[in-house]
Amino acid sequence: MTGLRREIYEKYKSQNRLFVAMLELTYRCVCRCVHCYIDEYESPELSTEEVLNLLNQLKDEGVFNLSLTGGEVFLRKDLETIVAEAGRLGFFTNLLTTGILIDPAAADMLERHKVHAVEMSLLGARAETHDALMRHPGAFAGLMNAVELLRERGIPVVLKNTVLRQNAGELEEMAALAAARDCLFNASLSVLPKIGGDQEPQSFAVDFETALSLNPRLLLGGPIPDEDTSGGAFLTCNAGRTNCGISPFGDVYPCLIWRRPVGSLRTQTLRDIWHDNPDPYLTRIRASRPEESDECFTCEVKKSCRRCPGTAFAETGDFQKPVLSACRLAGKREG
Amino acid sequence: MNISAVLEKKEGFTVRAMGDETLILDPHGSAIHVADEVGGFIYDRIDGVLPLSRVLEAILEVYDIDEETARKDLLSFVEKMVEQNILGIMP
């Protein structure tokens, strides 16, 4: 980050101004991924008008980076209207999708509206692995077709992997597959419980021995940094400060991992939720200090730890508690 | 730069207000330009139609500043913006 960018970002942080927003447009999907965190749901999605209004509020708030995610965003019939408005308002828009519904017309649409990048799930280097984990026959072929259509148009593509027991052995091959198609690649070990708390998705996560055998350079965040993070880099984060997540129903969260609602866009404006009348929980997050996560702050392996406060909340209900998987990985790395 | 020139905003820039300042990010997100309050006021009014003389009138209506200083500041600001390819001069 250049000096000026850092200075501006610090100003955003000091004012709790949103810089990054992740907006879930729908929970409807064409796949039923084994590790998906989305539960059954009943609420109606935000209407086109509500989404467009929200985008304008995000622009007024100062947001630069917008991620549109799902479910499968291409199941929204108004996707082009939304993407066009996001482009008009000058967001750096990333779209997260399975890729299955991207045909030449859809790829043209994304190019026309200057989508910044498209991020797609890659759950295996082979069709049988990917399709089985996505629970959608033909998903791999659809994804590869989408990659080709997007790259032909010069749209940057990120292939994102969640490392699971069934695909961990294909990690290097997936990275090579992405590189061969001029796509970025990253993988994450994080598997969250379902929104309602069901921990079934986590049964697909790799064990720690497997996790430790993986090439750390391919994992999200890259290798564990050598420098000490005792300043609390992983004990607090920007969620609830410069970052937020928004559900298809207008619930606002500190981030999409940290799903503690702090307001509803159905009854409040974004400004009201984020600045004028913040939920006490949001205020508490913003006031939190690394030393308050006492177990972690005094931990002797914290410098190797990739702890995420949102994951701590998802797993324990308390964002200041240790994350068991992170503890064990950090401990192992330190020997 | 002539005060009768008509300027346009170049496409693809992301613009956000931050207090009194206006942040202008280039299309690749790699460079940020910061305009002060008056700069943001000027940038807002560049529309590919109005000549700079009308922008100058608007400045004089809103800000307590003498015409000569305002003209100099306006021309200096837009020249920099043109140099940085944020604004373009209409033919």
Side-chain angles (χ1 to χ4, degrees):
Chain A
M1 202 182 271
T2 64
L4 182 56
R5 288 195 71 156
R6 181 169 293 284
E7 193 181 313
I8 287 166
Y9 193 69
E10 290 302 322
K11 213 177 251 192
Y12 265 64
K13 275 170 82 171
S14 71
Q15 298 173 3
N16 293 318
R17 285 194 66 162
L18 283 171
F19 197 88
V20 177
M22 293 196 71
L23 171 58
E24 293 175 320
L25 290 174
T26 183
Y27 283 160
R28 289 174 288 137
C29 197
V30 290
C31 297
R32 292 284 178 271
C33 297
V34 296
H35 63 300
C36 184
Y37 63 83
I38 294 172
D39 275 318
E40 296 299 318
Y41 57 92
E42 287 178 5
S43 306
E45 293 168 0
L46 293 176
S47 67
T48 308
E49 192 181 29
E50 286 174 313
V51 173
L52 298 186
N53 178 283
L54 168 59
L55 294 183
N56 279 274
Q57 291 188 60
L58 290 169
K59 187 230 172 189
D60 291 343
E61 169 65 23
V63 168
F64 282 104
N65 297 342
L66 175 69
S67 291
L68 300 175
T69 184
E72 173 50 68
V73 290
F74 279 92
L75 288 176
R76 282 217 45 149
K77 290 186 176 147
D78 55 0
L79 182 64
E80 177 163 11
T81 305
I82 293 167
V83 169
E85 181 70 352
R88 190 184 72 78
L89 294 172
F91 292 110
F92 294 99
T93 306
N94 278 20
L95 208 73
L96 284 76
T97 169
T98 64
I100 292 169
L101 300 178
I102 295 183
D103 58 14
D108 286 344
M109 182 275 281
L110 299 178
E111 182 184 23
R112 192 161 55 246
H113 299 301
K114 300 185 171 56
V115 165
H116 204 57
V118 175
E119 301 182 18
M120 297 186 283
S121 299
L122 175 65
L123 294 185
R126 298 172 202 127
E128 56 268 32
T129 310
H130 182 82
D131 291 1
L133 292 171
M134 302 281 279
R135 290 181 180 151
H136 185 103
F140 186 81
L143 171 62
M144 291 300 113
N145 183 52
V147 166
E148 193 177 331
L149 291 169
L150 295 168
R151 293 306 298 131
E152 277 171 5
R153 288 158 178 78
I155 299 172
V157 171
V158 183
L159 294 176
K160 300 175 63 158
N161 172 254
T162 301
V163 183
L164 303 172
R165 284 188 284 112
Q166 296 89 333
N167 66 17
E170 297 175 31
L171 185 62
E172 300 278 352
E173 284 176 82
M174 286 187 274
L177 179 153
R181 288 160 181 77
D182 194 23
C183 300
L184 294 174
F185 176 78
N186 63 55
S188 169
L189 291 168
S190 177
V191 181
L192 295 172
K194 283 191 181 289
I195 294 170
D198 180 354
Q199 300 200 342
E200 200 245 340
Q202 294 177 303
S203 67
F204 295 94
V206 292
D207 60 44
F208 296 106
E209 294 306 322
T210 305
L212 289 168
S213 72
L214 300 171
N215 180 351
R217 295 192 179 278
L218 300 178
L219 300 175
L220 198 62
I224 297 293
D226 292 333
E227 70 270 22
D228 192 349
T229 58
S230 57
F234 303 112
L235 300 182
T236 62
C237 67
N238 292 321
R241 296 178 168 102
T242 58
N243 297 19
C244 80
I246 301 168
S247 81
F249 322 119
D251 294 320
V252 178
Y253 307 109
C255 83
L256 287 183
I257 295 174
W258 197 336
R259 302 184 81 94
R260 165 42 165 97
V262 293
S264 169
L265 292 162
R266 288 227 148 100
T267 56
Q268 300 162 276
T269 62
L270 184 64
R271 181 172 178 81
D272 196 31
I273 295 167
W274 213 254
H275 295 290
D276 295 346
N277 191 22
D279 186 290
Y281 187 78
L282 196 54
T283 308
R284 190 180 149 219
I285 291 172
R286 291 169 177 173
S288 67
R289 297 286 173 267
E291 53 270 33
E292 291 170 15
S293 301
D294 50 356
E295 279 181 75
C296 296
F297 190 71
T298 55
C299 176
E300 51 190 37
V301 296
K302 67 183 171 187
K303 72 178 184 183
S304 296
C305 184
R306 283 282 185 197
R307 178 187 180 280
C308 158
T311 306
F313 176 80
E315 291 188 356
T316 70
D318 183 344
F319 69 90
Q320 294 179 318
K321 290 271 188 212
V323 177
L324 181 62
S325 55
C327 296
R328 293 185 61 181
L329 275 174
K332 288 279 189 178
R333 280 187 199 287
E334 295 242 321
Chain B
M1 183 78 62
N2 189 302
I3 198 70
S4 61
V6 176
L7 274 67
E8 64 176 347
K9 293 183 180 108
K10 290 294 179 78
E11 281 188 11
F13 285 85
T14 292
V15 181
R16 296 289 183 265
M18 189 171 69
D20 288 342
E21 294 175 330
T22 298
L23 309 181
I24 305 169
L25 216 70
D26 81 359
H28 308 293
S30 54
I32 292 184
H33 310 271
V34 182
D36 63 12
E37 183 185 343
V38 181
F41 181 89
I42 295 167
Y43 184 83
D44 274 352
R45 277 152 189 80
I46 299 294
D47 62 358
V49 177
L50 287 180
L52 290 177
S53 57
R54 295 288 298 278
V55 178
L56 176 61
E57 284 172 22
I59 294 171
L60 294 171
E61 275 173 28
V62 172
Y63 296 98
D64 183 20
I65 186 171
D66 69 86
E67 182 171 347
E68 193 46 41
T69 307
R71 178 194 299 261
K72 251 192 226 166
D73 289 352
L74 168 63
L75 292 177
S76 164
F77 175 77
V78 296
E79 276 167 7
K80 274 186 201 151
M81 293 280 113
V82 169
E83 269 173 31
Q84 293 176 73
N85 214 24
I86 297 171
L87 298 176
I89 303 170
M90 297 285 284

